[in-house]
Amino acid sequence: MSSGKRRPSQSEPEGRESRSERIVERVRAIPEGFVRTYGDIDPGAPRLVGLVLARTHGIPWHRVVRADGSVPKGALQRDLLLREGVPMRGARVDLREARLPSGL
């Protein structure tokens, strides 16, 4: 009888753990003064990016914003971004100026 728990298969080339690790690496690679969107971090799983950010401590979570430049964590996130010199347009990040170019 099965315990109901799914065991990772050796044939699965990309497990959730390795994908999560890649997300963490990509977030850590965002330099001060720049942002990336959830979709920039992982185009196939932007919601997973949010989950990883919520569960991982010690990474610059505040440098990840929504595709429209809005900040999901409100005033705290906006304040952290402003301290780093991230340009804003009203309540949103100016993605034309602050979005980290792809490939970096």
Side-chain angles (χ1 to χ4, degrees):
M1 184 179 232
S2 172
S3 68
K5 291 184 180 178
R6 185 176 177 272
R7 294 180 59 195
S9 166
Q10 293 295 334
S11 64
E12 288 179 337
E14 177 166 88
R16 176 169 260 194
E17 187 172 333
S18 65
R19 193 169 200 171
S20 296
E21 289 169 358
R22 190 167 49 251
I23 289 168
V24 168
E25 288 173 19
R26 289 176 180 170
V27 172
R28 283 191 174 134
I30 305 170
E32 188 173 313
F34 289 92
V35 298
R36 282 211 157 140
T37 68
Y38 291 91
D40 292 341
I41 302 297
D42 191 328
R47 288 184 180 189
L48 178 60
V49 174
L51 181 65
V52 170
L53 290 176
R55 293 181 174 176
T56 308
H57 300 286
I59 60 174
W61 60 269
H62 60 285
R63 296 180 188 151
V64 181
V65 299
R66 294 181 180 131
D68 65 357
S70 61
V71 292
K73 294 297 181 181
L76 172 61
Q77 184 175 12
R78 187 175 191 280
D79 207 31
L80 291 169
L81 292 171
L82 287 172
R83 285 189 220 168
E84 292 187 359
V86 172
M88 306 293 282
R89 299 183 103 212
R92 298 173 192 250
V93 171
D94 184 348
L95 291 176
R96 290 177 299 173
E97 297 292 324
R99 192 178 205 167
L100 188 65
S102 60
L104 295 181

